[in-house]
Amino acid sequence: MDELFRSYIPNSSPLHRLDPRTKLVSLMVISILVLQAFTFTGLGLFAAFFVLLAYLSGVGTGAFLRSIRPMLMFFAFIFLMHLFLTEGEPIFRIGLVHPTFEGLVLGTVITTRFVLLILFASLLTATTRPSMITNGIERMLRHIPLNRIGLSSFDIATMMSLAIYFVPVLMDNAHQVRYAQISRGLDIRHNMFRGVSTTITPMIRGSLHTADDLATAMESRCYQGKYRTSLFELRMRTVDWCVLCGISCVVFLFSGYANY
Amino acid sequence: MIHINNLSYRYTGGTLALDSVNMSINKGEFVALIGKNGCGKTTLVRHLNALLIPTDGSVSVFGMDTKDTPKVWNIRQAVGMVFQNPQNQFVGTTLEEDVAFGPENLALPQNEIRKRVDMALREVGLLEYKTRAPKTLSGGQMQRAAIAGVLAMEPECIVFDEVTSMLDPESRKMILDTIRQLHHNGKTIIYVTQRIGEILPFAGRIISMDNGRIEFMGTPREYLASVKSHVPAITSLMRKLKAKGFDVRDDVFAVDDAFLEITKACMKGYEEERNTDNG
Ligand SMILES: Nc1ncnc2c1ncn2[C@@H]1O[C@H](COP(=O)(O)OP(=O)(O)O)[C@@H](O)[C@H]1O
Ligand SMILES: [Mg+2]
């Protein structure tokens, strides 16, 4: 979560200036379309679209590579799964193992889909500050009657921004507890799962303590989970409506082609 | 402006944390609340902005009773509170968002929030860090950010609950300077601490607690006198202090001179405490 949200790169490109709601809706639509693409032409089209947007955003290639890197294992796993487990014409055979040509194609298509998903998502996080993302989500959720389940859109937005900050804090705490125990003689060389329970207990206690402190601090700063304003108010401009119109047209076009 | 009347508080676990506390705090005062760990300081100050509601007795803030539920948000706006752990009171993804949290809850318009955030950050000297992520701030900077978060709500009174106990000596001094500046600008300050040395030179009034009760209330001078229990003549107090190893002249008889001597010695003690902490 931290990695995802730390990727914001300040700039004043047209993409940066779009309303976060426009970007969130567009991302959702594009993701659905990408997940249905299964020809190389279709995927190539989306890849070209990504390159165009990336160029417009003025965000360097490095940022996108960074967003891909933590997922490499996952991509490799997906690719190899399909390569070896798809039925079809074998490329070669060693014992029971036989990668197939069909697997090669399917693996490439599915892996490319995921890579594109991550790239489009990182385009959103690189051009939108975290608070704008949570803000945008809050404004979109405002129309859903969440109070039936005892929540408000404000609660959800606050929870998200707390998670962005606190997940890494809690991870740090876990490390500290671990080091404290190793420094007191916990031997993890032979069995790395040793002492997991003794790590978890103080960690949970620490987290509850943190949660309690946090709730008190929020209450004392008048947090009510009800209507609140924001340092960054959102405004849909003409260009936002144009983008949304464009996206609708694209959806309309693609819905005509079942195979792309 | 704050009146506490026969306040008692019992935690659900059964501990009687406060036992018939009476006190008043006037506008513009600098009060130091001291006492051993577990004597009820935190419990007492959490009544001042309705985080806790009295089991018995009453607390009134600007004429509003803390039991009066609809007034709670006005009370919390008027009495801000800064806590011990800087990390656990940070709620934004950047410094300015964190400071904006209070004004946002008050549902102020955007330009007013912006104005207050910048004002508060300038006051604690963190304006140029406003777009920084909390992870990149030191403990002392985060604690000053927490003060800014409270300032942005424009409270009359700010409670500091052992805010320096997790900081290094350098940050501690900076926080104390900030607090003195706030007092100078007219805020009422309630400063909770276990280190009497750090606050004695600044506080206008000392309130000392023991076991859920108020044990002493008076000026720092009176407090110093009371520590050496019932010494009648100032000279004999000074002699006793000197015998205890305080670096004071023992030929002083005027109260003001003695005060000066003791404050000097305290400052020195405080300085030494800082130095040993450094080492
Ligand atoms: N949440 C709680 N539940 C039960 N007992 C508590 C709680 N918080 C504090 N106490 C008890 O109340 C007493 C006063 O605590 P506290 O006000 O935190 O003291 P101080 O701030 O002076 O260290 C202590 O005996 C403590 O054990
Ligand atoms: Mg305390």
Side-chain angles (χ1 to χ4, degrees):
Chain A
M1 196 126 187
D2 177 47
E3 288 297 323
L4 187 67
F5 282 93
R6 224 175 12 168
S7 52
Y8 176 63
I9 295 167
N11 196 349
S12 58
S13 78
L15 256 69
H16 282 78
R17 277 174 302 167
L18 282 182
D19 189 285
R21 287 167 289 182
T22 312
K23 287 187 266 191
L24 282 163
V25 169
S26 309
L27 177 65
M28 278 188 265
V29 171
I30 290 172
S31 302
I32 292 167
L33 292 179
V34 165
L35 280 178
Q36 286 169 353
F38 71 92
T39 67
F40 286 113
T41 330
L43 289 168
L45 216 62
F46 284 109
F49 185 50
F50 169 77
V51 172
L52 175 72
L53 291 181
Y55 174 74
L56 278 179
S57 73
V59 173
T61 338
F64 297 116
L65 291 181
R66 266 202 303 283
S67 69
I68 294 283
R69 200 171 0 163
M71 306 291 288
L72 280 180
M73 285 294 280
F74 171 73
F75 294 145
F77 177 73
I78 295 279
F79 180 73
L80 292 176
M81 278 275 289
H82 286 94
L83 181 63
F84 285 104
L85 297 182
T86 311
E87 292 297 317
E89 181 86 1
I91 305 174
F92 59 81
R93 217 181 252 282
I94 306 170
L96 282 175
V97 184
H98 55 280
T100 60
F101 285 106
E102 284 81 354
L104 185 65
V105 173
L106 194 62
T108 312
V109 167
I110 293 191
T111 314
T112 313
R113 279 185 197 165
F114 280 111
V115 172
L116 282 172
L117 280 189
I118 298 289
L119 286 176
F120 278 111
S122 67
L123 197 57
L124 170 81
T125 57
T127 61
T128 322
R129 48 169 87 239
S131 51
M132 285 298 218
I133 299 181
T134 51
N135 229 337
I137 294 175
E138 186 272 308
R139 288 298 292 271
M140 293 198 294
L141 291 177
R142 220 181 259 187
H143 309 291
I144 301 173
L146 287 163
N147 44 5
R148 290 226 195 103
I149 52 168
L151 277 175
S152 72
S153 56
F154 299 100
D155 281 326
I156 291 177
T158 309
M159 278 192 259
M160 285 193 304
S161 52
L162 285 179
I164 297 170
Y165 166 49
F166 269 98
V167 169
V169 169
L170 295 179
M171 299 289 267
D172 275 2
N173 288 353
H175 280 133
Q176 272 171 19
V177 170
R178 197 92 179 131
Y179 288 134
Q181 292 186 333
I182 292 170
S183 72
R184 285 175 201 159
L186 178 74
D187 184 3
I188 57 163
R189 270 171 310 176
H190 305 300
N191 178 2
M192 62 178 285
F193 293 107
R194 198 118 147 240
V196 163
S197 65
T198 49
T199 310
I200 285 178
T201 317
M203 223 196 96
I204 290 179
R205 208 169 50 189
S207 311
L208 289 179
H209 194 77
T210 302
D212 200 39
D213 273 7
L214 191 66
T216 310
M218 286 169 60
E219 259 191 67
S220 94
R221 282 161 80 183
C222 291
Y223 182 72
Q224 313 173 53
K226 285 196 292 198
Y227 181 77
R228 58 201 298 269
T229 49
S230 170
L231 179 61
F232 306 103
E233 286 299 341
L234 305 181
R235 219 178 63 245
M236 292 290 277
R237 294 176 305 151
T238 325
V239 49
D240 289 299
W241 294 114
C242 292
V243 169
L244 288 179
C245 277
I247 288 282
S248 322
C249 294
V250 170
V251 171
F252 183 71
L253 277 178
F254 273 97
S255 61
Y257 296 93
N259 313 320
Y260 57 87
Chain B
M1 54 178 255
I2 296 176
H3 295 288
I4 298 176
N5 237 319
N6 263 322
L7 165 63
S8 297
Y9 187 80
R10 189 181 288 281
Y11 280 103
T12 28
T15 332
L16 184 67
L18 294 176
D19 187 4
S20 321
V21 170
N22 282 293
M23 65 190 240
S24 292
I25 291 166
N26 301 320
K27 197 169 155 51
E29 261 198 292
F30 193 136
V31 176
L33 183 59
I34 61 170
K36 289 195 294 279
N37 205 355
C39 70
K41 304 183 295 297
T42 299
T43 311
L44 176 59
V45 293
R46 286 192 181 184
H47 278 86
L48 301 183
N49 71 351
L51 287 172
L52 295 177
I53 303 298
T55 310
D56 215 356
S58 71
V59 177
S60 117
V61 177
F62 290 105
M64 299 176 278
D65 192 318
T66 58
K67 279 190 186 130
D68 190 0
T69 321
K71 295 269 169 64
V72 163
W73 309 109
N74 295 335
I75 293 172
R76 290 191 183 155
Q77 189 271 315
V79 181
M81 195 165 298
V82 184
F83 300 87
Q84 183 171 19
N85 188 337
Q87 220 170 40
N88 293 358
Q89 43 188 320
F90 208 97
V91 291
T93 53
T94 63
L95 186 48
E96 61 179 357
E97 284 164 37
D98 179 67
V99 176
F101 185 75
E104 287 175 351
N105 291 334
L106 300 176
L108 296 172
Q110 186 192 11
N111 52 356
E112 175 67 15
I113 298 178
R114 170 53 65 196
K115 211 178 76 196
R116 287 192 182 197
V117 167
D118 289 353
M119 176 278 295
L121 283 172
R122 193 173 303 117
E123 202 148 349
V124 300
L126 287 178
L127 192 58
E128 70 262 44
Y129 297 98
K130 67 179 178 184
T131 54
R132 292 266 288 264
K135 204 185 256 180
T136 66
L137 300 173
S138 72
Q141 285 170 332
M142 277 181 96
Q143 202 58 296
R144 277 189 285 151
I147 296 177
V150 168
L151 280 179
M153 302 181 62
E154 303 194 336
E156 285 289 328
C157 170
I158 308 178
V159 178
F160 298 87
D161 191 356
E162 301 201 32
V163 291
T164 57
S165 64
M166 295 177 79
L167 303 181
D168 57 291
E170 205 46 52
S171 317
R172 208 182 288 158
K173 184 178 173 312
M174 260 180 119
I175 295 279
L176 278 167
D177 287 345
T178 309
I179 295 173
R180 282 176 73 193
Q181 191 58 43
L182 293 175
H183 179 239
H184 185 77
N185 296 347
K187 300 272 187 232
T188 307
I189 307 286
I190 298 168
Y191 188 91
V192 178
T193 185
Q194 288 187 47
R195 299 166 193 265
I196 178 69
E198 72 176 6
I199 205 62
L200 207 54
F202 315 135
R205 187 149 64 114
I206 307 279
I207 297 174
S208 146
M209 287 184 68
D210 190 29
N211 224 337
R213 291 168 164 278
I214 290 186
E215 178 193 56
F216 170 88
M217 201 185 292
T219 62
R221 194 190 304 175
E222 288 163 358
Y223 176 75
L224 277 183
S226 88
V227 181
K228 299 289 144 209
S229 59
H230 316 297
V231 182
I234 198 74
T235 316
S236 103
L237 166 67
M238 299 300 276
R239 285 208 182 111
K240 282 189 176 167
L241 282 176
K242 193 178 172 97
K244 289 265 180 213
F246 276 80
D247 187 16
V248 290
R249 294 202 329 251
D250 59 358
D251 58 350
V252 172
F253 39 85
V255 174
D256 283 350
D257 292 352
F259 177 56
L260 214 67
E261 281 289 307
I262 293 167
T263 316
K264 243 194 298 188
C266 282
M267 284 294 264
K268 207 159 150 198
Y270 172 50
E271 216 69 54
E272 268 163 21
E273 192 188 327
R274 271 181 49 191
N275 290 339
T276 35
D277 281 3
N278 266 330

